[in-house]
Amino acid sequence: MAAAPVWSVDPRTGKQREQVAVEATAQEVDAAVRAADEARGALADRAVRSAFLRTAADELQAAKDGLVETADAESALGPVRLTGELARTCYQLRAFADIVDEGAFLDVVINHPDDTATPPIPDLRRYKVPLGVVAVYSASNFPFAFSVAGGDTASALAAGCPVVVKAHPDHPALSEYVAVVLRRAAARHGIPEGVVGLVHGFEAGVELIQHPLVAAAGFTGSVRGGRALFDAAAARPVPIPFHGELGSLNPVVVTEAAAAERAEAIGAGLAGSMTLGVGQFCVKPGLVLAPAGAAGDALLKSLTDAVSDTDAGVLLDHRMRDNFVAGVAERARLADVESPVTPGSGGDHTVSAGFLTVPASRLAAEGEHDLLLEECFGPVTVVARYEDDAEVKAVLSRLPGNLTATVQLSEEEAAGEGRGSEILAELTPLAGRVLVNGWPTGVAVAPAQHHGGPYPATTSMSTSVGGTAIERWLRPVAYQNAPSALLPAELRDDNPLGLPRRFDGRLER
């Protein structure tokens, strides 16, 4: 593998800013993985790793000004958005520290022998242990929250797994900066700096997924890139879990009653959601089923007014800009597709928000309009106008898996009248998060959160946001008839660590 320079690029101009690093060679990837593997023992103590996570959050917060400046130079996302994203990232680290301290994630279950059971039960003690080194593939659109110190890294470290991060090429300087901060936090607790490795380059990402000491991987990105890595993880001599977030259309259904009741509010809310962050959120609503007729017309007028007032914006890189401009043009050329507000180029380096409309009947059967059922990354959505409930069902039946699905209901429908519950039942198989009278952009970091969904939204049934994201990096192990003196402290009867557990069928907290 030839070493090539890694440049920081200004997305506002497309010009190289500075050389940050060089692409990692196979030998350098191997060294990073081995250093991470050697750091596993330092994460064994839960108190040490929870303290490390809190210190990491403190150090990131202390470096806020420099981090946000570096992130904005490489992403053009703006200081306000990036400051909020960094705060979310720090909160997430501290939340996982709390989870580590609580200990419920270990899922301790103890059964004492019972000769009266059929068949007899021996002494069994079960809990979860960390998998090993985790490969993390950074996302372009969240340079903090889904990157070097993001949810995959935070949850892996919380589980006791060191990480090697493959930096995203859109923010290499920031990746280096964040890695330095995390390593500094690790050193304060006697943890080797290799606990957080960082590599650059496409080939390095391939080498990483194939390394025999890598035990699992987390990915956020495109369907094409994620599927290639997923296949590589499965093709290894010893396959490993690959938790990938690949793509999502995030459909929205607006009932006729809802449109008649609050068309203006729905149109404005949709505009705000689809253009948030220049449409670069993985949960952007990309397909909206709205009624034909007067109520739907009023909704479209509100959407048109709001989107028309949206300023042109900068996408994360020029490749994404080119793909967006070409993608919306290809979609707009399809039969019966109209552009009330035309999306596309807003200038040499910017894009303009817009939306397309199409009769829902065009999407109800296989054909060239299937392109409209594919995610288009950027500030655009497709509004499919339906004539009746049968068309809504027909379109929903053709959709792939999604991160989210949303329904806008009237007040009466939300109270149980009409088709509200039926639509909810139709949306549930399609997505990991189902929203009622809201918008999918904005993913709360909360214990009950689920950020995942049926393929291709994700390649597993797990979440990458929220406390249960830690489960991706653990595996259960049971000890049978092990002498007490040989048992891990977590599985001893006297519970020296004070862990929540299920003890002979009783839940102890």
Side-chain angles (χ1 to χ4, degrees):
M1 186 194 324
V6 175
W7 295 89
S8 178
V9 177
D10 186 344
R12 296 177 177 89
T13 65
K15 295 181 179 179
Q16 295 174 344
R17 295 176 59 248
E18 58 184 307
Q19 183 176 336
V20 175
V22 295
E23 294 188 358
T25 64
Q27 292 75 21
E28 288 167 335
V29 173
D30 178 65
V33 174
R34 292 187 182 280
D37 188 60
E38 290 171 3
R40 291 175 64 181
L43 293 177
D45 189 317
R46 286 190 300 120
V48 170
R49 65 180 188 259
S50 67
F52 166 36
L53 291 169
R54 290 192 176 90
T55 299
D58 294 342
E59 293 279 359
L60 288 169
Q61 197 64 48
K64 176 185 69 175
D65 292 345
L67 289 169
V68 169
E69 181 181 1
T70 303
D72 186 41
E74 291 187 316
S75 69
L77 290 173
V80 173
R81 149 74 193 273
L82 291 166
T83 298
E85 187 185 327
L86 177 59
R88 166 200 169 127
T89 302
C90 294
Y91 172 82
Q92 188 164 243
L93 287 162
R94 295 185 179 108
F96 276 113
D98 291 341
I99 289 170
V100 173
D101 286 339
E102 181 194 55
F105 73 97
L106 293 170
D107 198 19
V108 176
V109 183
I110 295 176
N111 287 126
H112 285 101
D114 183 356
D115 291 336
T116 67
T118 304
I121 297 173
D123 187 276
L124 285 169
R125 294 156 192 265
R126 179 187 188 271
Y127 76 145
K128 292 179 178 177
V129 298
L131 289 174
V133 178
V134 171
V136 172
Y137 293 80
S138 295
S140 61
N141 56 340
F142 282 88
F144 289 121
F146 282 84
S147 187
V148 177
D152 286 348
T153 295
S155 57
L157 293 173
C161 297
V163 299
V164 178
V165 181
K166 190 273 182 186
H168 196 280
D170 279 352
H171 36 83
L174 179 67
S175 298
E176 290 285 344
Y177 196 161
V178 172
V180 167
V181 173
L182 294 184
R183 290 165 182 160
R184 183 166 63 232
R188 288 182 55 180
H189 298 281
I191 300 172
E193 292 185 354
V195 72
V196 178
L198 182 69
V199 297
H200 297 267
F202 175 81
E203 293 296 335
V206 177
E207 293 282 348
L208 187 57
I209 199 69
Q210 295 174 340
H211 198 286
L213 291 179
V214 167
F219 171 91
T220 301
S222 69
V223 173
R224 180 180 178 184
R227 183 55 194 255
L229 290 171
F230 175 67
D231 291 345
R236 290 168 39 130
V238 178
I240 60 172
F242 182 87
H243 303 282
E245 180 189 323
L246 310 188
S248 185
L249 197 60
N250 304 300
V252 177
V253 176
V254 182
T255 68
E256 187 170 6
E261 185 176 272
R262 46 193 175 85
E264 184 174 351
I266 292 174
L270 172 59
S273 185
M274 59 157 283
T275 62
L276 186 66
V278 202
Q280 297 175 109
F281 285 84
C282 53
V283 289
K284 179 202 73 176
L287 175 69
V288 182
L289 284 156
D297 290 343
L299 189 160
L300 286 191
K301 181 181 184 306
S302 174
L303 178 62
T304 298
D305 292 344
V307 174
S308 297
D309 287 340
T310 303
D311 293 335
V314 178
L315 293 184
L316 291 159
D317 62 41
H318 274 248
R319 176 185 56 82
M320 291 181 187
R321 181 188 177 279
D322 291 345
N323 288 341
F324 173 75
V325 172
V328 294
E330 185 180 6
R331 288 163 171 79
R333 286 194 295 266
L334 295 171
D336 292 333
V337 172
E338 297 181 357
S339 303
V341 182
T342 303
S345 176
D348 290 341
H349 305 290
T350 61
V351 296
S352 296
F355 68 96
L356 309 175
T357 64
V358 66
S361 58
R362 283 288 193 175
L363 305 179
E366 185 176 350
E368 64 176 3
H369 287 75
D370 284 0
L371 179 62
L372 300 175
L373 303 181
E374 298 177 12
E375 179 183 15
C376 186
F377 195 72
V380 65
T381 195
V382 174
V383 180
R385 306 290 300 273
Y386 65 85
E387 297 289 344
D388 52 35
D389 293 344
E391 286 190 351
V392 174
K393 290 181 180 180
V395 174
L396 292 179
S397 71
R398 302 197 62 240
L399 297 186
N402 292 271
L403 293 170
T404 72
T406 300
V407 59
Q408 296 287 338
L409 301 173
S410 68
E411 187 174 340
E412 285 189 0
E413 289 171 328
E417 300 292 330
R419 238 189 111 229
S421 59
E422 186 179 341
I423 296 175
L424 225 61
E426 292 168 1
L427 294 179
T428 297
L430 294 177
R433 178 163 58 106
V434 180
L435 298 91
V436 177
N437 291 349
W439 298 104
T441 41
V443 183
V445 180
Q449 184 59 270
H450 187 81
H451 189 62
Y455 185 84
T458 49
T459 60
S460 72
M461 295 299 105
S462 302
T463 180
S464 59
V465 179
T468 54
I470 196 173
E471 296 174 359
R472 297 175 296 168
W473 321 121
L474 299 163
R475 70 173 180 87
V477 59
Y479 292 90
Q480 182 170 327
N481 294 334
S484 179
L486 302 182
L487 285 170
E490 292 87 348
L491 297 180
R492 294 176 186 168
D493 280 352
D494 59 351
N495 198 8
L497 303 180
L499 295 170
R501 61 184 185 174
R502 187 166 292 278
F503 191 85
D504 286 337
R506 301 187 308 275
L507 187 62
E508 296 181 349
R509 296 191 178 277

